[in-house]
Structure formats: structure tokens, C-alpha cells
Amino acid sequence: MIKTLLREVKEFKKPSILTPFFMILEVLMETIIPFLMASIIDEGVEAGDIGHIYRVGAVMIAAAVIGLFAGLAGGRTGALASAGLAKNLRDGMFHNIQSFSFSNIDKFSTAGLVTRLTTDVTNIQNAYQMILRMFTRAPASMLCAMVMAFSINVRLASIYLIAVIVLGTILIFIMNHATKYFQQAFPKYDDMNASVQENIAGIRVVKAYVREQQETDKFKKASSNIYRIFKKAECNLIYNAPLMQFTVYGCILLISWLGAKMIVSDSLTTGELMSLLTYCMNILMSLMMMSMVFVMVSMSSASAKRISEILTEESDLKNPEHPVYDLEDGSIAFHHVDFAYQKDSREPVLKDINLEISSGETIGIIGGTGSAKTSLVNLISRLYDVTGGEVLVGGRNVKEYDMETLRNQVAVVLQKNVLFSGTILENLRWGDKNATDEECMEACRLACADEFIQRFPNKYDTYIEQGGSNVSGGQKQRLCIARALLKKPKILILDDSTSAVDTATDAQIRKAFLEEIPDTTKLIIAQRISSVQDADRIIVMEEGRINGIGTHEQLLSDNKIYREVYEAQTKGGGDFDENGGEQ
């Protein structure tokens, strides 16, 4: 886990190395100053040697300036290194997420990924900065102060050693107890973020059903869970400060009492006592800093594990060693295909699918909810891998192709239409970033989108709000179809992508496809039989199997499910689920 995170330091190795160096230099200067102060008092003030005071004072000023410079430089390089690590962690996670297959993405919730990219990375950033600065400074300061204290007086310095051992043991016990609560806290952020995300995404439904109070209560519950866990952790950590103060003041009183006796007996000078008191503060404050580092490390350990999970997750789908970069045509073949979303699933989603589709053919696919229509077409562009059998595109197994090449030639308009914030042209050019304005307009004409775009004041420069909230469902679907057409694919898959379009426009779109892209293989998933009845062949899916395949006329005479759905829809509004018997 630690190696995984440190690999992301990359170009920020230099400031990561310089920060401990500057911290140690600052500690050395701070350690020298009390020693020089003792010399000024014992050999300058008490001896009345003003020259010695000036000389040693000049050295003290130089040491203070060097320590100030080292502290400032260490703060700057530490901030640069920690911010750089955070940047690289976010970049690394986001880049790896982009390579995930759908099955990888299914392992992590959206809220969990957002928490990892934000809160967890911030925890690591703060912990890394504290490790570079305080975790270097504190032990170095403690060691130097302890050495100097023992060099002055072993008996008095032993008080520090005993205090450090006792206090360190107590702090370790407190840290261990608090850590388990911090490990429970950060996963709770996922629940809270999920509540926020769900509420904002469905805000229209929330308001339509007047569920604002229930959503507020849900958020309060998630927030209260975090509060309770952090409260338990902090209740353990509150003992840090009083213990430290008790130890510091106890050591000062003990050293002052014993030191005064030793001064009277001439076994200790006044300057040495002052130095010992200063070193006492250095040692115990170093211990306090180390306890703060342990707190931050305890808090960030859970975050480090969660980030490491994303960075080390490998996509289930990988390019072959020698990928094929040319897809000859849009022919598709399924040979004894089985598929399950989970490898240990008892029942596969698709079972023994055998299907041959010629290039340029138009195929309709209908079936009830859960009949695996979408699962079937997802295998064509290799969004998932089959668990049995093989899928061929252009005469080759899809696993032989370079995935980018395959997906560029297989355009999919998904059930859930997604538009991104930006102009209409910017959204269309997701299909082809080099497409001209004329090509974009032509694609929109094929998708019957040009007619409503021309009615907008800014036409193709109209700004689309996030998620396409300022266009209707039907307009969004037509823009997504146009975007797919710009890829000039050999295979076009419409996954229930005209459900929000009126039947007349749906017919116009299908007619345009037939006339303008006859060589493109078209797969149309639909609930309305009118959307697929003109297809070359229609596939009826039932419980992950092909129940029937043929033309509209053939299925009407031979397939009971198809016939019942057709009769229900022509009589008035029945859909596949209501009459096909497939749920």
C-alpha cells in the first residue's frame, strides 16, 4: 500500500527529499541556540566579558537566521511535495478509473469514488506533509536535545528520558484506541455523499413527491453517523493535551528544584540550568508533534487503503498481445455464448446464444424487462467479456481487436442518454472531435435533430446544461443518436434510444438510416413493435435466451409472445411486459 502511494510522488521527489533536510537544519540551529545562551550567561554576563557576549550573540543571530530560512524553505517544499502527491493521486485514480471495464466500475459506488478523489486524497496530502516536516523534525529535535541535555548533566537529563518513555507508552495506547474509530469513519463519508448525489440527481422527483423532509432526515442520519464516530475518536485524543502539559510542567518543576540545589552546591551553573529547561521544552514538544503525526497517520491509514484499492485495480478487459487494428465489416456472430455479470453467479444472464448477423443488416430486438437485451449488445463492443463461447465482429473474435479500434467502429446509444455541459456542437463532436460543422448538421438531419436545433436562438451553439437538463427527453435522444452517427460506425446499436420520440419521428429516423447508411449494421432494441417491424429480422428475447427470430410476418404467425404483444399494442397501448409474460 505504501509503495503504491509513494510511486505517485514522481516529479516531486526533489522537494520530498529537501523538506527533511531543511527540517533537520532548522533543528540543529534551534539546538545550538540554548547552548550558546548558556555560554553568554556563564562566560559573558557572570564574568562581565562584553566581548564574549557580542561574539556569541552574533553566532546566535546567524543560527537564528539560518533556522528561520530552513523553516521557511522546509514549509515551502513540504507544501509543494504534499500538494504534488495529491495531484498525482487524483490523476492516477482518475486515469485508472477511465480504464476500468463495467465490471470493475460495478465494484465501487459513485459516491465512494468521489470520496476517494476528494476527502481521502486530502487526508493523505495532510499526512504526507506532516510526515515530511513534523515526523522528521520531532525525532531529530528530541534526539539532539537529549544528547545536549546528557552532555550538560546526566542526572537531570535522565528525568527527560523517563518522562519520554512513560508519556510515549500512554500516547501509543491512546493512538491505537482512536485508530479503530477513524477507520470506521471514512467509509461513512460514502454514505453521506451517496445521499447528496442521489438527492441532487433526483431533485425533480423529490420535489414532485414533496419528499424534501425525508431526504433531509436521511442526510442528517448519514451526517450524524460520521459525527458520532469522530466524537468517539476525539474523546480518546483529548487526553493528549493534559498529559503533555502535566508532563512538561512536572519536568520543569523537578528540574528547577533539583537544578537549584545543584547550583547551590556548585555542580551546575545558572546557564546550564536555563539550557536544560529549554531542552526540556524541545523534547516534550517534539513528543507532542509526534503524537499529532500519529493522529493524522491514524486518520489517513483508512484513506490510504481506499486510494490504493483504486490505483491497484486492474481492468478485467485488456488488449491482446498483438491486437488487430482493422475491422473489415459489420458482420456479427454469437457462437454458444453464455454470460454472467459475476463469475460465481449460479445462473448466467445469457444462455447458449447462437446468432449470425450479416453486414448492413437491420436487426430488431424486443423482450421484457430483464430478458438480457442490453447484455446481449454490450458484448459486441466488448463492454463485458463472455463467460462462455465467443462473439465475432467482422469475422474475428472481439478479444483479438484493439479495444479502441473496436469501440470506434461500434457506436452505442445507451438506454440512459447522457449529454455533457457545453454547446450542441461540442457534444456532437464526442462522436468525432474533427467533425466539421456540415458533418454535424448532416448527422443531426439523419437523427431528426436539426429541426428543433434550428428553432433555438443560438442554433448549434446553444449551451447544453449539465446532464442535458434544458432539452427534452426526445431531443436528448436524437442528439445522442446524431453523436453516434458522427463516428461513421460499421455497427450502430440503439438501445431503446427512441422511446421518448413520437412514432412519426421514430419512423423518419429509421427511414433515414435505411437510405443514408445502408452498409451499417443496425441493431435496434425497442419495446414498441412499430420501431422494429420494418427490420430485416427481429429477435425475441426471453429469460436470457432467443425465443424467436424472423421477420415481422414470420413472428406474427410463429411466435406466441410476439403475436400477443403486437395485438395488445395495436389494440391500444399494451407493452411487452404486460402481454409478453416476461418480467
Side-chain angles (χ1 to χ4, degrees):
M1 181 178 72
I2 300 300
K3 288 182 179 179
T4 300
L5 298 183
L6 290 179
R7 277 200 296 267
E8 298 301 321
V9 175
K10 295 178 181 176
E11 70 271 26
F12 297 98
K13 289 180 181 177
K14 183 177 178 181
S16 296
I17 294 171
L18 285 176
T19 301
F21 169 76
F22 285 128
M23 290 296 98
I24 291 173
L25 180 60
E26 183 185 20
V27 166
L28 291 174
M29 295 303 105
E30 289 180 352
T31 305
I32 290 172
I33 289 174
F35 185 78
L36 295 174
M37 180 66 75
S39 177
I40 286 177
I41 293 172
D42 294 337
E43 299 176 30
V45 176
E46 292 187 357
D49 187 350
I50 192 69
H52 182 80
I53 293 174
Y54 285 147
R55 288 191 299 274
V56 177
V59 176
M60 284 181 65
I61 291 172
V65 170
I66 294 171
L68 176 63
F69 165 78
L72 291 173
R76 181 181 179 278
T77 55
L80 181 63
S82 60
L85 174 63
K87 177 186 78 70
N88 288 344
L89 286 174
R90 291 191 187 97
D91 289 347
M93 281 194 289
F94 191 80
H95 181 268
N96 205 36
I97 289 169
Q98 298 308 302
S99 71
F100 284 177
S101 66
F102 282 9
S103 57
N104 292 116
I105 294 173
D106 292 341
K107 294 180 183 179
F108 305 98
S109 67
T110 302
L113 292 175
V114 171
T115 305
R116 285 169 168 86
L117 286 163
T118 51
T119 305
D120 288 332
V121 170
T122 300
N123 290 336
I124 296 299
Q125 178 179 347
N126 293 335
Y128 189 61
Q129 184 170 16
M130 291 187 74
I131 288 170
L132 289 179
R133 297 184 63 192
M134 290 189 180
F135 200 68
T136 303
R137 175 188 170 85
S141 179
M142 183 184 296
L143 180 62
C144 291
M146 194 72 76
V147 169
M148 295 300 291
F150 271 95
S151 68
I152 293 172
N153 190 287
V154 174
R155 182 183 173 189
L156 292 179
S158 299
I159 296 173
Y160 303 150
L161 186 61
I162 294 170
V164 167
I165 293 172
V166 173
L167 190 57
T169 303
I170 296 172
L171 288 177
I172 289 172
F173 174 78
I174 293 173
M175 292 305 105
N176 287 338
H177 209 248
T179 298
K180 66 178 182 180
Y181 293 114
F182 286 122
Q183 289 175 343
Q184 296 171 15
F186 292 108
K188 295 295 181 183
Y189 276 111
D190 293 354
D191 298 335
M192 187 177 71
N193 286 342
S195 176
V196 173
Q197 179 196 2
E198 187 177 49
N199 179 267
I200 294 174
I203 192 67
R204 289 170 175 79
V205 178
V206 172
K207 291 187 176 297
Y209 284 86
V210 198
R211 302 281 292 183
E212 291 91 344
Q213 187 58 49
Q214 287 85 342
E215 288 297 304
T216 301
D217 293 342
K218 187 194 297 183
F219 178 81
K220 283 183 178 178
K221 182 179 179 181
S223 181
S224 296
N225 287 335
I226 297 174
Y227 163 74
R228 282 195 294 270
I229 293 174
F230 268 107
K231 181 181 177 181
K232 290 178 181 178
E234 295 296 338
C235 284
N236 283 276
L237 296 178
I238 58 174
Y239 295 106
N240 267 12
L243 277 172
M244 289 300 305
Q245 290 181 356
F246 176 80
T247 306
V248 168
Y249 293 126
C251 287
I252 289 174
L253 286 173
L254 194 57
I255 290 169
S256 298
W257 180 55
L258 294 175
K261 285 187 173 184
M262 295 176 74
I263 289 173
V264 171
S265 63
D266 291 330
S267 58
L268 188 73
T269 66
T270 304
E272 288 174 338
L273 178 60
M274 289 187 64
S275 297
L276 285 170
L277 290 173
T278 304
Y279 290 136
C280 170
M281 293 299 295
N282 284 355
I283 291 169
L284 298 176
M285 290 309 296
S286 296
L287 202 60
M288 174 66 87
M289 283 191 285
M290 288 178 69
S291 72
M292 291 172 62
V293 173
F294 284 131
V295 170
M296 184 57 68
V297 170
S298 298
M299 291 175 62
S300 62
S301 60
S303 295
K305 182 179 180 181
R306 286 154 54 85
I307 290 172
S308 181
E309 286 174 353
I310 302 297
L311 292 173
T312 56
E313 180 76 14
E314 294 185 3
S315 175
D316 294 338
L317 305 180
K318 294 182 180 179
N319 270 346
E321 189 174 345
H322 302 289
V324 176
Y325 292 94
D326 182 44
L327 195 148
E328 288 187 9
D329 56 43
S331 62
I332 304 167
F334 288 78
H335 293 163
H336 301 288
V337 168
D338 292 330
F339 171 70
Y341 286 101
Q342 302 294 333
K343 293 180 179 178
D344 56 352
S345 297
R346 294 181 179 178
E347 188 74 12
V349 176
L350 290 169
K351 306 153 194 169
D352 196 29
I353 301 295
N354 287 283
L355 180 63
E356 298 281 345
I357 300 173
S358 302
S359 182
E361 195 173 4
T362 299
I363 300 293
I365 304 175
I366 66 171
T369 303
S371 59
K373 304 183 298 295
T374 299
S375 300
L376 180 74
V377 297
N378 279 343
L379 301 178
I380 297 171
S381 54
R382 206 187 169 198
L383 297 177
Y384 292 94
D385 268 342
V386 299
T387 51
E390 60 178 0
V391 178
L392 278 63
V393 172
R396 287 181 174 272
N397 192 314
V398 291
K399 295 180 180 180
E400 298 178 22
Y401 287 107
D402 169 66
M403 284 192 289
E404 185 176 341
T405 300
L406 176 65
R407 290 172 185 172
N408 274 331
Q409 294 299 324
V410 181
V412 183
V413 184
L414 299 169
Q415 274 180 310
K416 187 177 180 181
N417 298 283
V418 177
L419 293 175
F420 297 89
S421 54
T423 66
I424 289 177
L425 280 175
E426 288 171 347
N427 270 278
L428 291 173
R429 287 188 174 120
W430 273 66
D432 180 1
K433 62 182 179 181
N434 298 317
T436 63
D437 290 357
E438 291 72 22
E439 289 174 326
C440 291
M441 293 177 186
E442 177 61 26
C444 287
R445 280 191 285 272
L446 286 175
C448 295
D450 184 71
E451 56 181 272
F452 72 80
I453 294 174
Q454 293 297 343
R455 292 197 296 267
F456 291 144
N458 296 322
K459 296 182 171 54
Y460 282 84
D461 291 321
T462 299
Y463 190 83
I464 301 294
E465 300 293 341
Q466 185 178 14
S469 58
N470 59 332
V471 292
S472 70
Q475 290 171 341
K476 191 188 298 186
Q477 285 187 339
R478 282 178 276 176
L479 286 172
C480 290
I481 292 171
R483 182 173 63 188
L485 290 173
L486 275 174
K487 294 179 73 172
K488 301 179 180 63
K490 287 187 170 68
I491 299 172
L492 175 63
I493 299 171
L494 303 180
D495 188 355
D496 208 13
S497 304
T498 57
S499 57
V501 174
D502 61 87
T503 53
T505 303
D506 187 11
Q508 289 178 25
I509 293 172
R510 287 184 281 110
K511 182 180 178 183
F513 288 172
L514 182 65
E515 295 174 353
E516 301 295 336
I517 52 172
D519 296 330
T520 299
T521 304
K522 297 166 282 291
L523 281 73
I524 304 171
I525 296 176
Q527 290 290 343
R528 293 188 304 221
I529 286 184
S530 61
S531 297
V532 298
Q533 65 181 17
D534 295 328
D536 297 321
R537 285 184 294 163
I538 302 168
I539 300 170
V540 179
M541 298 291 297
E542 183 186 24
E543 295 184 353
R545 297 180 184 274
I546 296 177
N547 178 272
I549 183 168
T551 64
H552 174 66
E553 291 75 16
Q554 289 171 339
L555 290 174
L556 275 179
S557 61
D558 299 338
N559 191 278
K560 179 182 177 183
I561 294 176
Y562 188 86
R563 185 171 56 254
E564 289 179 352
V565 174
Y566 176 77
E567 290 173 354
Q569 290 185 0
T570 52
K571 287 177 182 176
D575 67 14
F576 191 93
D577 285 333
E578 291 173 354
N579 294 278
E582 173 63 34
Q583 297 295 328

